[in-house]
Amino acid sequence: MIEVTLALAILMGAGFAAAKLGQLIRLPSVTGYICAGLVLGPSGLNMITGADIGDKLDHFTDIALMLIAFGIGEHLELKRLKTMAKSVGYIGMGETMGAFVFVSVGTYFAAQLSPIGGSAWGAMDFMILALLLGAVSVATAPAATLHVMRELKAAGPLTTTLMAVVAVDDGLAIMIFGITVSAAHHFVGIGTGSIGAAIVGSFADIGASLLMGGVTGLMIDFVIQRLKRRGEMLTIGLVLLLLCGEGARLMNFSPLLAGMAAGFIIVNRDRRDVRLFRALNDFEPPIYVLFFTLAGAHLHFSALTIAGWVSLVYFFLRALGKLTGCSIGARLADAPQTVVRYLGLALVPQAGVAIGLIFLIKGDAILGSYSAIIIPVVLGGVVLSELIGPLCARFAVKAAGEAFDGEEVQEAERQKDRGRHDVVQMEKAQLVPWRWEKLNPHQNPDGVVVFGVSHSGSGPGLARMATLFAHHYGGLPQGVRVLPPAAGEKTQKPDNDTQTLFAELRKEVGSLGYEVDTKVIINENVSDGILAAAHARKTWAIVLGHPLGVSMHDFKYVVDIVARDAPCPVIIVRFAGVLHTERILVPVIDTDELNILSGVIHALSGVGEHVITLLSMVQPDAFEEEIEEAEEILREWVEKERLASSVRCQAV
């Protein structure tokens, strides 16, 4: 046995090198990691022995499985799943039952034609063996599938369905496994009670696992809402997740189901905070390398010899069952053709969960005689599925047209960075002159819309926007410039630059038919100065201009302080190109927040002969039904707000 530190270095180094070599011939990184484990493990150079795996390194597998399960929970967002519940339900049941039935029936006959069990085995023994193999075959490899999807930056209907199916697949696998083991105990004659009681007990274990994960998710959400530093969130998140996983294991619950439930709770909170998922993304790569290389080290080529051709039958019938069940389920659910054709291929990988299940059988004294056969059969199938499965998943995603090559991703990111740079580097916001009739101010203006001004590049544009909002609310626009105090002075007259700036504001606001109230506030802190103006009199809204330069950090600080203490809504205006008011685009990311935008949309729709487009931006992997539903939500809201004559609705 070698030291743990050296073993970690060897595993990660070899896994990384093998993945890079595999990428040269277009192999997924997962395949490289597993090959490295095979070479280092007992079937290869034996540098990582069985004692190392079992006694020193297996806890890394537990950590990885918990993180994987938590990451899968992020993909179970109810708002997105509700439109695909039918697809996930049909496909999930189809592929799990397909694998279970195909493997159970096929291995029942294959085992009887092989020397497995010898003359002492009867039909009941072969049936129990076949049922247990069928239950294990249901499990997929969420880690391998998730890794391939992330590596390809995949997005689309197939990817969305795949992640949802993988998330529910292992829940179904654990449930079916628990029921099958209970039934096997009953058939052996050792178990007590009826099969119905065994089934109820399995459901109770599943419910307890979900409850434990749900409580952990609520605890994580409560704590990280109060943290700001990424490192602190990562630390406390890992503490709670690992405590949950270890607690579930000690109580014979499912750490996988608990981890998925924790991720599910966080992503479905009203005010969800997904920063922990992002922090864990940076932490996962070395853990994943260890997990997959260890999975490879668990595998023995001798398993194929021991299990004979039963292992090959297990592998091919499992793949055939997944393919057939997915296809039937997808057709029943009227899923897109890409899902019907390719989803089954993406479910071929099998590793961590299946390995965990067979070692649960090994630790079961009642089923010990069967574990001696099940372990080599399943491990042989896992060798094939983990070498071939990631390739199948990669092919499926690429054939569905939902994957980017690395070069395409890098070019897209470069284009995005260039676009962001162009917008941020604007020196002056250009305005099209006001072309419509002047607005009619209210006879008795009530309150103000405060807008902060600092230079002439953005001042007139902000003045126009603030005037439109003030007209809607029945108030006046008020331009506020915050200046630091001169040495020893508490008051200060406007300097020449300020007077010039205020003259530009008056000219712009006057072209709309309004007068602007201007004010200089002396304060060391810009945010405090803006808030002082807002608290001095009735204020309908505060308008802040996104910086045209690159002082993003200072601007974010100002926004945080103002938004926290403002007595009214805070509107951020960002100029990009020429400011038009003939056509106004209002992007909406979350339709639940339409009411927050109500005042802004009403204000913009109340002046000029222009067209406002409400644009709901759904996820890139959304189904057509989700896009249509998002557009319908916009239409219903527009009708309720009586804006139908001036507002169009679109979802993309």
Side-chain angles (χ1 to χ4, degrees), residues 62-78:
D62 297 335
I63 294 173
L65 284 174
M66 194 65 188
L67 295 180
I68 290 162
F70 183 69
I72 290 174
E74 183 187 5
H75 295 275
L76 295 176
E77 187 179 356
L78 288 178

Side-chain angles (χ1 to χ4, degrees), residues 112 209 214 254 355 378 420 478 495 510 521 552 555 565 567 610:
Q112 293 191 66
S209 302
S254 168
I355 292 172
V378 174
R420 184 185 300 114
Q478 182 184 69
D495 55 18
I521 293 183
M552 295 298 301
F555 176 69
D565 298 330
H610 50 236

Side-chain angles (χ1 to χ4, degrees), residues 194 229 246 288 308 488:
S194 65
R229 295 181 180 178
E246 187 63 14
Y288 275 10

Side-chain angles (χ1 to χ4, degrees), residues 218-235:
L218 290 174
M219 293 172 61
I220 292 174
D221 185 70
F222 176 81
V223 174
I224 64 175
Q225 289 282 357
R226 288 153 179 79
L227 300 176
K228 294 183 179 180
R229 295 181 180 178
R230 193 182 185 95
E232 293 176 346
M233 289 186 291
L234 176 61
T235 301

